[in-house]
Amino acid sequence: MLSALGLEGEALARGGSVVGLEAKTRGGRAVLDLAYADLHPRAHGLGIRRGVLFDLLHGRLKRSPARLMTGSEIIDVVREHGRAVVIDSELERHGPFDLAVIADGAHSAIRRRLMPDAPQRIYPWGCIWTTVKDSVGLDTGVLGQRVDGTRVMMGLLPVGNGELTFFWSLPTVDLAPEAPLDLAGMHRTAVALWPEASRLVADAIVVNDFARATYRDVALPQWNDGPILFIGDAAHGTSPQLGQGANLGLIDAWTLARVLEASRTVADAIGRFAERRSATVRFYRQASHLLTPFFQSNLAPLGWLRDAFMIFACRLPVLRPMAATTLAGTRSGWLSSVPLDGEGRYRLT
Ligand SMILES: Cc1cc2nc3c(=O)[nH]c(=O)nc-3n(C[C@H](O)[C@H](O)[C@H](O)COP(=O)(O)OP(=O)(O)OC[C@H]3O[C@@H](n4cnc5c(N)ncnc54)[C@H](O)[C@@H]3O)c2cc1C
């Protein structure tokens, strides 16, 4: 999608190309080992900081005729005569609009008000993360993870500019905004888990600029409430285990623009949008939900199963392509995936 918006070159210059994913146990046993090149010699992922991705999309938006209003907290969206009225925290009304697209993230307050009965439970585990200089040359172009049982997980993702994003799994109860972080304990465990990364962890602790992330598993019964449409994490929050949330949100936005161009009415466009996106997001939600407890939970036996069998699944001729297409974001269901284009890119339709 970044390529279609003319942003691919800048994204690669300001981010980092990612060639695959590996996970190892504390003892060095491989758990996951996947490569994008299995799908196409030129296929790769993109590691990019949120702020950089935002900058790119924001810059592109400024070159479009869209009018952007910032600094507004939206507290409600209501239906009036079949149209949507957006209300901000100053109680100012905006609209009515033919369509309101709600993209306020996994913890969407608007979704919780409009669709209170939809499953949207918080996962019992989340993480802290920050971005550090790669002072020890650990960047091999691979998203690396180290695990010890299901209660210890650490990852390093190359994000370009000589930087790595470091993440550390923690129970959600320890991630409350006021809860103190046990950084010294984290350092001790991390040194034993991934000795080569101990300096990076120490650097991260000195800067102490950790973001706290909790995840939700969101399953809406439908994408919209009349002219109010949910996209991105607001519609289908998952745990980030498969690293697909931003991808899914971007492709939601792309698809919505295409169906709006091609439809005579908004209702028709929403129908087509749901038809085109539902199977893919259902797959990623279900797969993330299934996989997450093997990496982040209190269920120790799942860790034993993961350590014993997952690497074989990565090597089996039937399962390896499925795992690689899952990682590349091209699955369109449990039994199907979208082929990459001739350049090894996701094929947008
Ligand atoms: C630790 C972690 C690692 C991840 N790794 C990956 C990865 O490797 N690959 C990947 O593709 N995805 C990854 N994700 C998922 C990705 O971050 C999300 O899927 C993505 O950010 C969702 O985008 P969104 O625009 O739907 O929501 P968000 O990015 O959450 O944006 C929502 C926006 O709405 C604004 N907002 C919220 N409420 C209001 C309101 N009331 N009024 C006005 N504005 C409001 C917020 O300020 C925010 O800017 C990861 C997530 C986490 C937590």
Side-chain angles (χ1 to χ4, degrees):
M1 199 201 100
L2 293 173
S3 166
L5 291 175
L7 301 172
E8 184 184 6
E10 206 181 340
L12 280 170
R14 296 179 63 190
S17 175
V18 178
V19 296
L21 162 71
E22 61 149 50
K24 289 182 181 168
T25 62
R26 178 178 167 157
R29 184 186 162 90
V31 173
L32 286 172
D33 177 14
L34 295 170
Y36 291 104
D38 281 7
L39 302 176
H40 188 287
R42 297 182 64 181
H44 60 85
L46 170 70
I48 193 164
R49 296 183 69 158
R50 276 150 212 271
V52 176
L53 180 60
F54 177 86
D55 263 5
L56 294 177
L57 295 170
H58 182 223
R60 180 66 183 79
L61 178 73
K62 285 198 291 194
R63 300 199 296 277
S64 81
R67 186 168 72 94
L68 179 65
M69 280 181 63
T70 57
S72 285
E73 185 194 352
I74 306 306
I75 56 165
D76 209 354
V77 183
V78 293
R79 290 170 68 168
E80 281 183 11
H81 312 295
R83 301 178 84 199
V85 175
V86 176
I87 300 167
D88 69 25
S89 55
E90 306 287 312
L91 299 184
E92 198 177 320
R93 291 161 54 90
H94 307 268
F97 299 109
D98 294 332
L99 174 66
V101 181
I102 312 299
D104 56 347
H107 302 296
S108 168
I110 295 169
R111 179 198 62 227
R112 281 182 279 142
R113 197 191 74 68
L114 292 182
M115 299 199 180
D117 298 328
Q120 40 195 308
R121 129 194 128 85
I122 296 191
Y123 274 97
W125 285 72
C127 74
I128 54 172
W129 60 272
T130 188
T131 299
V132 285
K133 276 273 165 230
D134 179 15
S135 51
V136 285
L138 276 185
D139 182 355
T140 53
V142 169
L143 163 57
Q145 290 183 340
R146 294 292 180 272
V147 289
D148 187 8
T150 51
R151 297 170 62 90
V152 176
M153 182 183 73
M154 163 179 171
L156 290 173
L157 171 69
V159 290
N161 198 27
E163 293 180 321
L164 294 163
T165 289
F166 160 63
F167 52 92
W168 183 262
S169 176
L170 282 178
T172 296
V173 285
D174 295 345
L175 291 166
E178 68 285 356
L181 295 173
D182 177 14
L183 298 180
M186 175 179 82
H187 186 245
R188 273 193 306 277
T189 313
V191 168
L193 185 67
W194 197 342
E196 301 84 348
S198 57
R199 164 113 180 260
L200 291 187
V201 179
D203 290 349
I205 290 173
V206 170
V207 178
N208 196 0
D209 185 26
F210 290 96
R212 303 175 186 218
T214 56
Y215 331 136
R216 268 181 204 263
D217 178 39
V218 179
L220 297 189
Q222 60 200 47
W223 289 82
N224 67 309
D225 178 5
I228 305 167
L229 176 72
F230 293 88
I231 68 168
D233 273 13
H236 44 70
T238 65
S239 95
Q241 211 64 50
L242 293 171
Q244 295 302 320
N247 289 341
L248 292 173
L250 289 168
I251 298 171
D252 282 353
W254 175 269
T255 307
L256 180 60
R258 299 291 79 76
V259 297
L260 283 168
E261 279 167 358
S263 306
R264 281 189 301 115
T265 64
V266 167
D268 188 24
I270 291 176
R272 288 186 194 199
F273 174 78
E275 225 169 75
R276 282 173 56 175
R277 295 300 292 149
S278 295
T280 296
V281 304
R282 193 181 314 116
F283 168 79
Y284 278 105
R285 200 182 58 72
Q286 290 174 346
S288 303
H289 196 52
L290 204 69
L291 210 60
T292 297
F294 286 87
F295 288 85
Q296 291 189 282
S297 71
N298 293 318
L299 304 168
L302 294 185
W304 307 333
L305 286 173
R306 176 201 65 204
D307 295 351
F309 297 114
M310 215 167 260
I311 192 65
F312 298 110
C314 287
R315 290 177 184 155
L316 277 179
V318 185
L319 290 179
R320 187 170 173 89
M322 183 170 184
T325 48
T326 301
L327 180 70
T330 62
R331 298 300 305 177
S332 47
W334 284 97
L335 299 176
S336 54
S337 67
V338 184
L340 296 176
D341 72 11
E343 297 295 308
R345 292 199 193 98
Y346 185 93
R347 191 185 293 271
L348 284 169
T349 50

